[in-house]
Amino acid sequence: MAVATQAHSTSKMFDEFMNEVISGNPNEPEFHQAVREVAESVMPFIEAHPVYWKERILQRIVEPEQVVMFRVAWVDDSGAVRVNRGYRIQMNSALGPYKGGLRFHPTVNLSILKFLAFEQVFKNSLTGLPLGAGKGGSNFDPKGKSDREVMHFCQSFMTELYRHVGPMTDVPAGDIGVGTREIGYMFGQYKRIRKEFSGVLTGKGLGWGGSHIRPEATGYGNVYFVEQMLLRRGDGLGGKIVTVSGSGNVAQYTVEKLIERGAKCVTLSDSGGFIYDPDGLNEEKLEFVKWLKNEKRGRIAEYAEKFGCQYYAGKRPWAIPCHIAMPSATQNELDGEDAQQLVRNGCYCVSEGANMPCTPEAIDVFRQAKILFGPGKAANAGGVAVSGLEMSQNAGHTVWTREQVDRQLQAIMKSVHDTCCLYGTKSDGWVDYVDGANIGGFVRVANAMLAQGVV
Ligand code: NDP
Ligand code: 2IT
C-alpha cells in the first residue's frame, strides 16, 4: 500500500496537537522532538482515518500511563552518603507489559526518559511481539565507580523499583550504562525482596535466565536491517566502508556482524572523541575494544595508541568518507552539517543504532537526498525483540539455542523492514522509512487502544 503522506504537515490538527504537547510538557525538548517527528508522519494518516482523532489516540499515547520518580540513597566506598534520582516511565500497556530499558547516565532527566519511552511504543509495536512500552533509569554515573558501589546503587534502586515491576507488569532491561553487571545486581535484589525467580528483567546472564543473542541483538539487528534496505536495491554489504559511533554494547556487536559480512568498519567513538582506522577493524581489534570498554572500562583513545591510528579528541566521526553510517552512541549526535558532509562524501545509507541520534535537520537532509535512512525505532528494534524472546523463554521455563534465537531475530528485522515499506513507499518507489516506521508502529498500537476502550 502506497500511503500519500507529506513530511512536515502543518495542518490545523497538527498545530493544535503540538501546541498541547508543548504547553502540557514544558521544559522537555527531547520529548517534544520525538513527538513532533512521529506526529509529522502520522497526522496525515489520522486525518484520513478520523476515528483516531475522535478517540484522541495520539493524545493518549503521549500521556504516560504512570510516571514513578524516587530517591535513591546509597553509601560509596569512602562511607559518604550519595543521593540520586530514579525514574520509571510506564508509557503504554495496550500491547503487553511495559517493556524498555534502564539508562544510568548523568544526563538522565524526565525529558530524555519520556522521549525514549515514547519511541519505545512504536518500536515495540513494530516487532509484532506482545510488548507494551516503558523506560527508566537514573542520573547515576557508573563511570569511575567500583563494582561494590555499582552494586550498592543497584540494590537501593531496586528496593524502590520492585513495587512497580514484575514479569506480567513491567519488564526493564539495559540501555546506556546498564549491562549484564547492573542487571545482575538488580535481579538479585528483586529476587531477595520478592522471593521469586522470574523474568522481571531481560538481559540476564546466560546461566541465570538470559537468552542467547540478547547482548548481540541490537547491533546484529541493525546490520540485518541495513541488509534489507540494501537488498531492495540489489546491493549488499561486502566491501562497503562503514562509520560507526559509540563503542558500547550496540557499537561492538554492529562491528562484529559487519566484519562477518565483509564490510570495513573504520571508526568508533566515545564521549571523549573518535578513532579512525583506515585498515578497518578485524576480530582481534574488536576483542581489544570489548576488553577495553567492558572489562577495563577505559577510553577509546587507547585503541589509537595500541593499533597506531589517529584519535580525534572532542570530535565525531561523520567527516570520514563512507558508504554507510551507523550512529550507535546517543541522541542528537549527528546534526544537519554532519548529514550534509556525509551525503557530499557519497554516503547513501544511514541506520540508527542509537535512539534519535540524528537531529531533525539531519533527517531532513537525508530525506531530501532520498538516501536510505533507517530510523532507530525500526533499525534498533532487534534489542527489544530478543528481550521479548527472553520473556517467552522465561515464561516457558526453557532455553532456545543461539541458532533458534538468531533465526527469529532475522525474521523479525525483515518483518519490521516490510512494515516500513508497506506504509512508507512513495509514488516514485522511494521508501520513506521514517513515515513507514511511524505509521506502521502507530497502526497496531492505535487499533489495540480502540479495541480496549477509553482507558
Ligand atoms: P553503552 O553504555 O554500552 O554504550 C554507550 C556508548 O555511547 C559509549 O561508547 C559511550 O561513551 C557513548 N556515549 C554515551 N553518551 C555519550 C555522549 N553524550 N556523547 C558521546 N558518546 C556518548 O550503551 P548502548 O550501546 O547499550 O546504547 C547506545 C545507544 O543505543 C543508546 O542510544 C541506546 O538508547 C540505544 N539502544 C540500546 C539498546 C540496547 O539493547 N542496549 C537497544 C536499542 C537502542 P562513554 O564510554 O564515553 O560513555
Ligand atoms: O532502546 C531500547 O530498545 C533498549 N534499550 C532495549 C529495551 C529492552 O527492553 O530490551
Side-chain angles (χ1 to χ4, degrees), residues 88 98-103 116 119-120 123-124 131 134-135 171-176 202-203 214 218 250 353-355 376 380-388 391:
R88 187 69 183 167
Y98 306 111
K99 184 81 197 87
L102 295 170
R103 177 177 291 191
L116 289 162
E119 290 283 293
Q120 205 81 44
K123 184 194 307 194
N124 294 6
L131 299 171
K135 200 87 190 187
V171 184
D175 193 81
I176 291 178
T202 60
R214 177 60 190 90
T218 312
V250 178
N355 285 307
N380 72 37
V384 77
V386 174
S387 278
M391 288 165 71

Side-chain angles (χ1 to χ4, degrees), residues 143 244-247 266-278 288-289 292-293 298-318 320:
K143 272 205 197 80
V244 174
S245 65
S247 48
V266 293
T267 64
L268 281 175
S269 71
D270 64 17
S271 50
F274 81 94
I275 57 104
Y276 175 41
D277 184 349
F288 173 77
V289 173
L292 176 68
K293 295 309 265 187
R299 313 305 307 156
I300 199 67
E302 296 169 52
Y303 178 104
E305 284 159 33
K306 170 128 177 122
F307 297 112
C309 68
Q310 205 65 40
Y311 172 66
Y312 296 86
K315 295 247 180 337
R316 302 178 296 199
W318 314 124
I320 302 297

Side-chain angles (χ1 to χ4, degrees), residues 179 232 347 360 401 405:
R232 226 181 142 265
C347 171
T401 64
V405 179

Side-chain angles (χ1 to χ4, degrees), residues 365-384:
V365 171
F366 299 141
R367 290 168 103 181
Q368 269 162 29
K370 293 202 168 184
I371 69 164
L372 299 172
F373 173 69
K377 60 174 77 67
N380 72 37
V384 77

Side-chain angles (χ1 to χ4, degrees), residues 11-32:
S11 68
K12 238 179 97 210
M13 278 176 173
F14 176 87
D15 292 341
E16 180 190 320
F17 169 75
M18 273 318 297
N19 287 339
E20 267 176 31
V21 168
I22 291 166
S23 63
N25 303 274
N27 306 316
E28 294 180 7
E30 292 86 3
F31 181 59
H32 303 163

